[in-house]
Amino acid sequence: MGIEQIQQKISKLLALSQSPNENEAQAALLKARALMAQYKLRPNMKMNSDVVYKGIGITFTLTSEPWMISLCRTISINYCCRPVLSCQPGKRTYEIWLIGLSEDFEICKTAIQYAVDCVRTGANRCKADPSWTTVKQRREAAKSYGIGFAEGLNEAFQKQSQSNQPKWGLVMRTPSIINKFIADLGIKNRAFNINLSNDTEECRAAGKEDGKMMRSSFRNLV
């Protein structure tokens, strides 16, 4: 099975996981990552060392979706890539770019796009709660859900990595060539302060549960 078939299988896995319950997203993303590792460990798997650096079609603003940064960073690192924020001078809209080896890039891109769709669905559900009476409250509820989801997913990835060491070894780490590529470009991580309202802590908790909840729906897909 070649890398194209692997990418198609992972894309199919994520497509099959579409559900009204966003907590199934975590299970799908973990299964996709395990499938990625499974084929990276095959001795006869031919990998392409070309570095890909381009946008993945996702835009956002820090005002409405500050969770996008931590979500994309968490997924990218765990899928052997690195994210970059692109923003034109004077603009408030950011675009997510991705740096990775060609065989990792498409898989990571698919995972991020899937996760973003799931979080946006859950955030919109929180925002639609009739208990929020102002635009600010609805915005804060959506932000809190997204931050919580990213936190929960990060915990799930860490648990997965710990349970698969030393079997996975170095295959699921960002390749050194990618780190060198980033260093040569002079790209540095930026810190963003995110202030959340205490009134929306329940939304953050709900997002965190959706991000880390284990589901068995996909156990037979890997």
Side-chain angles (χ1 to χ4, degrees), residues 8-25:
Q8 291 173 5
K9 190 170 183 179
I10 290 177
S11 295
K12 182 179 179 181
L13 185 156
L14 296 179
L16 288 172
S17 67
Q18 295 294 344
S19 166
N21 299 313
E22 283 71 35
N23 51 24
E24 293 192 353

Side-chain angles (χ1 to χ4, degrees), residues 145-162:
Y145 177 90
I147 293 296
F149 189 100
E151 292 172 341
L153 183 60
N154 184 53
E155 288 183 13
F157 278 140
Q158 289 181 354
K159 184 177 180 181
Q160 184 187 44
S161 294
Q162 291 169 0

Side-chain angles (χ1 to χ4, degrees), residues 162-219:
Q162 291 169 0
S163 64
N164 284 281
Q165 290 294 349
K167 181 174 63 175
W168 284 4
L170 301 176
V171 300
M172 293 304 290
R173 293 186 183 181
T174 304
S176 58
I177 190 174
I178 300 302
N179 294 325
K180 183 178 185 303
F181 186 90
I182 292 171
D184 290 344
L185 289 178
I187 298 173
K188 297 181 180 179
N189 286 333
R190 294 179 58 186
F192 296 91
N193 294 322
I194 302 174
N195 298 316
L196 298 176
S197 170
N198 292 332
D199 295 336
T200 57
E201 187 58 35
E202 288 186 5
C203 293
R204 183 175 185 173
K208 192 168 185 176
E209 284 303 307
D210 284 351
K212 71 179 182 180
M213 183 73 70
M214 288 299 296
R215 294 287 173 136
S216 60
S217 307
F218 313 99
R219 69 163 68 95

